[in-house]
Amino acid sequence: MDTLVPKDHLLRKIEKVMDYDWLYERLEGYYCHTNGRPGTDPVVLIKMVLLQHLFGIPSLRQTYREVQVNLAYRWFLGYGLLDEIPHFATVSYAFCKRFPEELTDEIFQHILNKALNNGDDDSENGSGGTTEKTVSTTDPDCGMFVKGEHERQFAYEAHTACNKRGFVLGVQVTAGNIHDSVAWDELYTTITRRFNDIRYAVMDSAYKTPWIAKRTIDDGIVPILPYTRYKGAKGSYRPWEYAYLPEKDAYLCPQGAELRHTTTDKDGKRVYRSTPKNCRDCPYKAKCGANEKGQKLLTRHIWQFYLDAVECIRKTEDAKCIYAMRQQTIERVFADAKEKHAMRYTHHRGLTAVTRWVKLKFAAMNLKKLAVWSWKDSFLLLLSLFPIRVFHKTRHPPCLAAF
């Protein structure tokens, strides 16, 4: 059997970097060795799930069928040509009923540790409330995901962070109607507690909120976020056209009228209002958006300073260079997960089951990348034993975590 599996097959590379002894120790208490018939090797069950996620097989039922006819899969499980493969129901039962719930996260963390200890320990650049009331009758844990005017469907969201090499550092699974900025806090806390050398956090526009800007800057992490287009009425004055007067805590409109601070609302926005008698007869009243009484209202968040700092950072050359890496890191992770690892749709129901499924998916992706890179490194080491000039790799920019 061993001679039939190519030497450069992905599963050979995985076997070279993965160890399973800790799984036997971890699961020993879940099997009885003195009573009943012998159980199926737990590592074999875990390997079958890894096969499903490594090769993007839609279901365990189909994985079971593929293992029956694929020699490399049988070799990976340690089974011969005539050995009976464990039934897919046995695998499903083990993960749903027998194995502890935290096993999935432990497998993910174990593979991530191996990846980071394999020379990828530089993780720099480190996702609202629910308003949709529609509830699924088949899976109440999911939420109505709305994108644009036409796409509406029940879904889950996997809020994910990776490092500059594309290794997934953490994931937070929520219902599809939870805004990215709401799920961001828990994911950010988990990652920053574990990786204290993060210098940059690269995020998309959904995370461009005052709280996220404040927390990252206060933690000494540089937030890098994209440009967001102003959504106000066309032809009206833009907020930045109003001059702020710090000594008076007031704003001056383009026509010279003063807007004084009157109150601060529960969302942390300071409200500035103009005097109606000064604006009632202004010819630019329509352009500034004053109400019928001739009063202009302008709001500024109490943490607007942090958003202004984010804008200044965005315009630097270093920030532009680092943000451009998103297409090679987190965007590549999402694309591979959907196109190569069957993550576009899920057959599972319930937040717990979907979270377990997503973490196993990302664990398999990390394992695949680790195995391929380790095999390349060993190949380069072999080349170095011969008098062949090998060029050094270019230096990577500083550590980053992308969301």
Side-chain angles (χ1 to χ4, degrees):
M1 177 74 77
D2 185 73
T3 58
L4 298 176
V5 181
K7 298 298 181 184
D8 60 347
H9 196 282
L10 173 62
L11 295 179
R12 282 193 181 274
K13 301 172 186 177
I14 288 175
E15 285 293 271
K16 185 178 179 180
V17 300
M18 191 61 177
D19 62 276
Y20 306 100
D21 292 340
W22 70 276
L23 284 171
Y24 287 113
E25 297 176 5
R26 177 69 177 86
L27 299 173
E28 185 177 5
Y30 295 87
Y31 287 83
C32 179
H33 301 285
T34 59
N35 187 27
R37 59 187 178 87
T40 305
D41 188 338
V43 170
V44 172
L45 303 180
I46 293 171
K47 280 186 172 183
M48 285 188 67
V49 174
L50 285 177
L51 283 174
Q52 177 191 356
H53 297 300
L54 281 168
F55 296 98
I57 305 174
S59 64
L60 279 173
R61 184 188 299 267
Q62 187 172 339
T63 303
Y64 169 72
R65 294 172 179 170
E66 293 290 338
V67 172
Q68 288 179 317
V69 298
N70 192 303
L71 294 178
Y73 293 176
R74 282 181 171 270
W75 173 87
F76 181 64
L77 298 179
Y79 280 65
L81 287 172
L82 303 180
D83 293 335
E84 185 177 355
I85 305 300
H87 196 266
F88 60 86
T90 304
V91 183
S92 179
Y93 179 86
F95 275 89
C96 293
K97 301 292 184 180
R98 170 168 290 180
F99 294 163
E101 290 186 4
E102 60 272 17
L103 179 65
T104 301
D105 189 61
E106 291 172 3
I107 294 173
F108 174 82
Q109 297 297 340
H110 180 79
I111 294 174
L112 180 59
N113 285 335
K114 293 183 72 66
L116 298 180
N117 293 332
N118 193 53
D120 184 55
D121 51 4
D122 49 348
S123 22
E124 282 188 26
N125 288 9
S127 139
T130 300
T131 57
E132 177 63 56
K133 301 300 181 182
T134 307
V135 178
S136 170
T137 57
T138 56
D139 186 2
D141 286 352
C142 70
M144 179 64 74
F145 177 77
V146 180
K147 186 175 182 181
E149 299 180 358
H150 305 290
E151 185 175 349
R152 295 173 61 88
Q153 58 187 2
F154 287 111
Y156 288 93
E157 283 195 79
H159 309 273
T160 311
C162 73
N163 65 5
K164 69 182 183 183
R165 300 181 186 273
F167 284 102
V168 177
L169 303 179
V171 59
Q172 179 73 19
V173 181
T174 66
N177 56 357
I178 301 297
H179 194 270
D180 292 354
S181 59
V182 177
W184 177 87
D185 258 322
E186 187 172 347
L187 179 60
Y188 174 82
T189 300
T190 302
I191 293 174
T192 51
R193 281 179 180 174
R194 184 172 183 190
F195 307 102
N196 53 15
D197 59 343
I198 295 177
R199 292 171 53 192
Y200 299 96
V202 184
M203 299 168 276
D204 65 24
S205 58
Y207 302 96
K208 201 171 184 179
T209 65
W211 163 243
I212 292 177
K214 180 182 186 301
R215 185 174 180 187
T216 50
I217 291 176
D218 287 349
D219 289 347
I221 297 174
V222 180
I224 300 178
L225 295 109
Y227 165 78
T228 50
R229 182 178 299 175
Y230 176 65
K231 299 179 181 179
K234 188 175 181 180
S236 62
Y237 287 133
R238 302 294 192 260
W240 54 85
E241 295 184 66
Y242 292 79
Y244 181 63
L245 307 175
E247 65 279 1
K248 294 183 177 181
D249 188 20
Y251 275 92
L252 203 64
C253 84
Q255 301 304 318
E258 190 175 284
L259 289 80
R260 296 175 298 172
H261 173 237
T262 56
T263 185
T264 302
D265 65 19
K266 63 180 181 180
D267 295 325
K269 293 181 179 180
R270 299 170 66 86
V271 181
Y272 297 83
R273 290 184 172 91
S274 66
T275 305
K277 69 177 181 180
N278 296 336
C279 302
R280 189 175 295 117
D281 299 325
C282 177
Y284 297 95
K285 184 173 64 174
K287 190 173 182 180
C288 80
N291 58 23
E292 295 178 356
K293 297 180 181 180
Q295 188 177 56
K296 167 65 179 176
L297 184 145
L298 186 69
T299 59
R300 175 186 171 91
H301 201 279
I302 57 175
W303 294 330
Q304 183 63 37
F305 166 78
Y306 292 96
L307 284 178
D308 294 340
V310 166
E311 280 299 298
C312 293
I313 294 170
R314 176 184 68 82
K315 296 175 183 178
T316 63
E317 291 301 320
D318 287 345
K320 292 177 182 178
C321 243
I322 294 173
Y323 189 82
M325 294 180 62
R326 271 182 57 85
Q327 62 183 346
Q328 307 169 24
T329 53
I330 193 67
E331 298 295 347
R332 179 66 179 269
V333 169
F334 291 149
D336 285 349
K338 292 178 180 179
E339 299 300 327
K340 297 182 180 179
H341 299 274
M343 196 174 166
R344 192 175 295 276
Y345 302 99
T346 179
H347 298 281
H348 298 269
R349 295 181 185 179
L351 185 60
T352 301
V354 174
T355 300
R356 179 175 63 241
W357 177 78
V358 169
K359 286 188 175 181
L360 281 171
K361 191 79 68 178
F362 284 138
M365 290 175 63
N366 282 348
L367 179 58
K368 181 179 179 179
K369 186 181 291 289
L370 171 63
V372 172
W373 282 23
S374 298
W375 181 81
K376 288 181 179 178
D377 289 342
S378 62
F379 181 70
L380 290 175
L381 178 63
L382 180 63
L383 286 179
S384 67
L385 300 177
F386 297 91
I388 300 176
R389 178 173 295 177
V390 179
F391 294 95
H392 293 289
K393 295 180 179 178
T394 56
R395 287 189 63 185
H396 290 278
C399 280
L400 59 94
F403 293 78

